Amino acid sequence: MNALINDIAVIKTKHSKINHVDFDSLKFGSVFSDHMLECDYKDGKWQAPKVVPYGPVTLDPSAKIFHYGQSVFEGMKAYKDTNDTIWLFRPLDNFKRLNISSKRLAIPELPEHVFMNGLKTLLQVDKNWIPKKEGSSLYIRPFVFASGNGFHASPANAYKFIIATAPSGSYFSGEVSVLIEQTYSRSANGGVGFAKAGGNYAGQFYPTQLAVEKGFQQVIWTDDNTHEYIEEAGAMNIFVRINDTLITAPTSDRILDGITRKSIIELAESKGIKVEVRKLTVNEVVEASKNGSLKEMFGAGTAAVISPIASFGYKNVKYELPKQNDSYANYLKKLITDIQTNKAEDPFGWRYKVE
Ligand code: PLP
Ligand code: COI
């Protein structure tokens, strides 16, 4: 069935998969909704986006994405409240960051209407795929990659923008144990660490595998120059609570400017929690652990929301974090998810109604 919704052509699937999905036991990002948004860049401009059935993409073996990794992505979530209203969280920030990433990878920037109208139309078409169960949401993955052909190591002349969605449960189950990385780096000054470039994640897999072999789930990334400063927690920003102060590293060209991170900073401050955005050394965290002032560490990002860290490894010593009755992680997670899911007032204007 073809239709035009919000000026976007919609080609609906004839074979919905929705009845085969168990919405009560969703994993993260492993089943995909019926449709996706697709938009091509060719002849020097972005063409009209369309909603099409979710399915494989055909590419020439010389497509530059395969050889030179020219690709960027975003991660967002849609929520449905008790009245079946659909909500996004700060979607324009994801749109802007996608273009910041694209610019760094020499990918043509997307017009706002392609991203926003495309996303809203897709969500309306697949609204039945948005889970209502507490802790579940529709994970949204917008991405752009070089579909243009040729072995020449230069930017492609054709790109594809796709938004695919996946009804999802939580990213991690329970608390995680992390290894503070002393050898490998995820990013460097002047590099692409601030961009959500696909290659940044590929580069993390091997060091993370090594950490997993040692019994950890994630790596805490430190600065590439000295490995003395704490920067990110896997694919999340990191917060450390020493006494009653929350500390997080300042963003830089090595660190992703996380939307969850900046929301948590504002939320915590609005509740009277002291937040310091400053460089934080591994030594300071180790010393705080030894003298009992280290109370919590947690990762923050769209997929995991807030992921408490139970222990960290550093130079062959494992440091356990104490259990907190007044955990900032739990408190802030509840505050932010209540705003996201329309269970609480949103004094910041972050929530975005899809209509
Ligand atoms: N840091 C990295 C490297 C990430 O991949 C992500 C995930 O998106 C984040 C931080 C958190 O960013 P956000 O809160 O915008 O999802
Ligand atoms: C997100 O938090 O949305 C991310 O993009 C992390 C991801 C690599 C799963």
Side-chain angles (χ1 to χ4, degrees):
M1 195 205 316
N2 292 359
L4 205 59
I5 304 177
N6 305 327
D7 277 340
I8 293 184
V10 175
I11 301 164
K12 283 206 179 155
T13 181
K14 293 190 182 77
H15 308 285
S16 174
K17 301 165 293 191
I18 199 158
N19 291 333
H20 303 291
V21 177
D22 179 3
F23 279 82
D24 285 326
S25 54
L26 290 167
K27 299 198 185 84
F28 177 84
S30 52
V31 291
F32 305 97
S33 317
D34 279 335
H35 299 91
M36 62 187 193
L37 183 91
E38 197 174 36
C39 183
D40 283 308
Y41 179 93
K42 59 179 186 193
D43 304 329
K45 62 179 194 320
W46 286 102
Q47 308 291 317
K50 49 187 189 293
V51 171
V52 296
Y54 181 91
V57 175
T58 303
L59 291 173
D60 192 276
S62 78
K64 297 205 180 194
I65 172 61
F66 296 136
H67 308 276
Y68 306 120
Q70 223 191 341
S71 79
V72 295
F73 69 96
E74 271 303 322
M76 318 167 65
K77 283 176 174 171
Y79 313 86
K80 211 185 241 178
D81 68 17
T82 44
N83 296 320
D84 284 353
T85 304
I86 303 168
W87 300 96
L88 292 164
F89 187 70
R90 310 186 77 170
L92 283 166
D93 290 9
N94 292 96
F95 162 69
K96 287 181 196 146
R97 192 172 64 189
L98 185 69
N99 276 345
I100 290 172
S101 301
S102 288
K103 189 169 177 194
R104 179 62 182 82
L105 275 283
I107 293 173
E109 292 169 49
L110 270 175
E112 185 178 318
H113 69 90
V114 170
F115 186 95
M116 289 305 296
N117 274 353
L119 177 57
K120 284 191 275 187
T121 307
L122 179 66
L123 293 176
Q124 282 157 355
V125 171
D126 275 343
K127 59 176 182 291
N128 293 339
W129 285 85
I130 307 173
K132 280 175 91 162
K133 194 175 166 209
E134 171 132 17
S136 298
S137 58
L138 187 76
Y139 186 74
I140 303 169
R141 180 49 67 82
F143 59 106
V144 189
F145 61 91
S147 52
N149 302 339
F151 289 149
H152 197 276
S154 53
N157 61 5
Y159 297 84
K160 226 177 229 308
F161 169 56
I162 290 179
I163 307 180
T165 67
S168 293
S170 52
Y171 193 78
F172 294 113
S173 45
E175 295 179 319
V176 294
S177 179
V178 298
L179 179 66
I180 299 187
E181 184 58 58
Q182 291 299 289
T183 307
Y184 298 97
S185 305
R186 79 170 276 283
S187 59
N189 287 336
V192 297
F194 68 93
K196 268 183 93 73
N200 282 343
Y201 299 80
Q204 298 189 41
F205 292 162
Y206 177 65
T208 307
Q209 272 174 356
L210 297 180
V212 169
E213 280 167 20
K214 292 183 187 147
F216 300 93
Q217 283 92 53
Q218 280 293 323
V219 166
I220 297 290
W221 297 106
T222 48
D223 69 292
D224 61 299
N225 190 21
T226 65
H227 293 294
E228 281 175 14
Y229 293 93
I230 288 192
E231 302 216 311
E232 293 213 66
M236 294 178 287
N237 294 112
I238 186 161
F239 285 82
V240 175
R241 174 182 174 190
I242 297 181
N243 291 316
D244 287 339
T245 301
L246 267 186
I247 306 160
T248 189
T251 53
S252 68
D253 55 3
R254 300 186 303 272
I255 297 182
L256 192 82
D257 186 2
I259 295 162
T260 317
R261 171 187 174 278
K262 66 183 180 188
S263 307
I264 285 174
I265 294 172
E266 266 196 76
L267 254 179
E269 283 176 338
S270 77
K271 297 292 178 188
I273 295 174
K274 188 169 170 221
V275 182
E276 288 177 2
V277 177
R278 65 165 171 88
K279 291 174 128 191
L280 174 68
T281 61
V282 183
N283 272 341
E284 189 179 345
V285 176
V286 168
E287 282 313 307
S289 175
K290 286 182 181 162
N291 69 27
S293 58
L294 178 66
K295 296 208 176 153
E296 287 181 78
M297 288 169 76
F298 57 86
T302 299
V305 193
I306 287 182
S307 175
I309 293 170
S311 60
F312 68 89
Y314 179 60
K315 295 196 172 159
N316 297 321
V317 181
K318 197 161 181 183
Y319 298 83
E320 302 287 339
L321 276 104
K323 289 266 172 281
Q324 291 302 321
N325 291 329
D326 69 331
S327 151
Y328 283 0
N330 293 344
Y331 176 61
L332 293 165
K333 184 172 182 177
K334 168 129 179 65
L335 287 175
I336 196 167
T337 49
D338 279 356
I339 292 178
Q340 289 167 333
T341 53
N342 194 28
K343 287 195 188 120
E345 287 298 306
D346 174 18
F348 308 96
W350 291 334
R351 205 160 48 218
Y352 182 99
K353 191 173 184 177
V354 176
E355 49 193 353

